[in-house]
Amino acid sequence: MEKIINNTSVKIKQGDITKEKVDAIVNAANSHLKMGGGVAGAIRRAGGEEIQKECDKIGYCPLGDAVAINAGKLDAKYVIHAVGPRYGIDPEPEKNLYNAVYNSLKRAVEKNCNSIALPAISTGIFGYPLDEASEIILRAIIDFCEKDAQNTLEQIVVVLFGDKDFEVFKDKFDKMTK
Ligand code: AR6
């Protein structure tokens, strides 16, 4: 499913984010930038150990923020490590999830990227319920496209791994952009 919002194409698709042909791939990170399982594990396997080494040089990213680092062996130019909230543990989960997504898009623009792919941040190991998280993630993307004066992105792709995740995001996106 694809819609154009203020000159930016926003696409919802199912797949493996490491295979996306985009300038920037977003990782669902933790504050210490230690790449564990889930999408981080997949990015690390596909991009090689230099991705973790680059993360170690930076060492820390605050909750709700995002940092762009080079993408190792991936086709992308950057991996943007976005720190979403651990559901039930971190404060202000809604605000922090929204900010993690919004700041990822900002970092991509700052690095002159035209295209970016994002996963369903916080909805795996960090346990954010999918229905709520999908709405927050999509709200941040739609707001960025509609309101951010700095937006120069041509394409934003939300890549969902599982069938159910894809269906939830697709339905939500459809409702939110009617
Ligand atoms: N492509 C796209 N999405 C994927 C892929 C993939 N290859 N693999 C998994 N997903 P998670 P979080 C989906 O757990 O909840 C790590 O240890 C997955 O199905 O990766 O933010 C980090 O180092 C789910 O829908 O991220 C952090 O410590 C979504 O990606 C912590 O987990 C996010 O799941 C982050 O947890």
Side-chain angles (χ1 to χ4, degrees):
M1 166 187 274
E2 185 173 7
K3 294 195 183 186
I4 309 290
I5 306 175
N6 237 353
N7 296 326
T8 304
S9 149
V10 181
K11 193 192 264 186
I12 313 292
K13 68 177 278 191
Q14 191 173 6
D16 173 357
I17 200 167
T18 64
K19 304 276 196 297
E20 285 301 307
K21 304 272 178 265
V22 285
D23 294 333
I25 288 178
V26 175
N27 176 36
N30 54 55
S31 290
H32 298 286
L33 303 176
K34 295 289 180 203
M35 299 177 79
V39 72
I43 289 172
R44 186 177 179 162
R45 279 191 297 280
E49 282 308 309
E50 57 258 53
I51 297 193
Q52 182 61 62
K53 286 194 186 128
E54 290 294 317
C55 284
D56 291 342
K57 285 187 205 159
I58 306 237
Y60 187 78
C61 179
L63 177 62
D65 209 343
V67 57
I69 306 181
N70 81 47
K73 295 193 194 94
L74 290 170
D75 286 339
K77 294 179 190 148
Y78 299 97
V79 173
I80 297 176
H81 301 267
V83 183
R86 295 167 298 170
Y87 194 76
I89 298 173
D90 287 323
E92 300 182 279
E94 185 170 345
K95 179 181 137 201
N96 283 314
L97 181 56
Y98 181 97
N99 286 347
V101 173
Y102 201 95
N103 285 323
S104 299
L105 302 174
K106 277 173 77 165
R107 299 293 166 267
V109 170
E110 285 162 13
K111 294 288 189 186
N112 294 315
C113 294
N114 291 321
S115 54
I116 181 170
L118 303 102
I121 295 169
S122 283
T123 67
I125 292 161
F126 281 179
Y128 214 122
L130 193 61
D131 195 60
E132 288 171 53
S134 59
E135 185 152 352
I136 297 162
I137 290 168
L138 291 168
R139 174 50 54 210
I141 292 171
I142 294 166
D143 283 354
F144 188 82
C145 292
E146 286 181 343
K147 297 178 198 160
D148 199 296
Q150 315 296 320
N151 179 24
T152 50
L153 294 171
E154 289 167 12
Q155 191 175 47
I156 300 171
V157 192
V158 186
V159 184
L160 291 321
F161 206 48
D163 300 355
K164 189 179 160 231
D165 301 30
F166 173 62
E167 291 302 327
V168 169
F169 268 77
K170 199 158 54 82
D171 289 353
K172 194 72 84 178
F173 187 54
D174 203 31
K175 285 194 190 104
M176 291 170 77
T177 51
K178 272 220 160 76

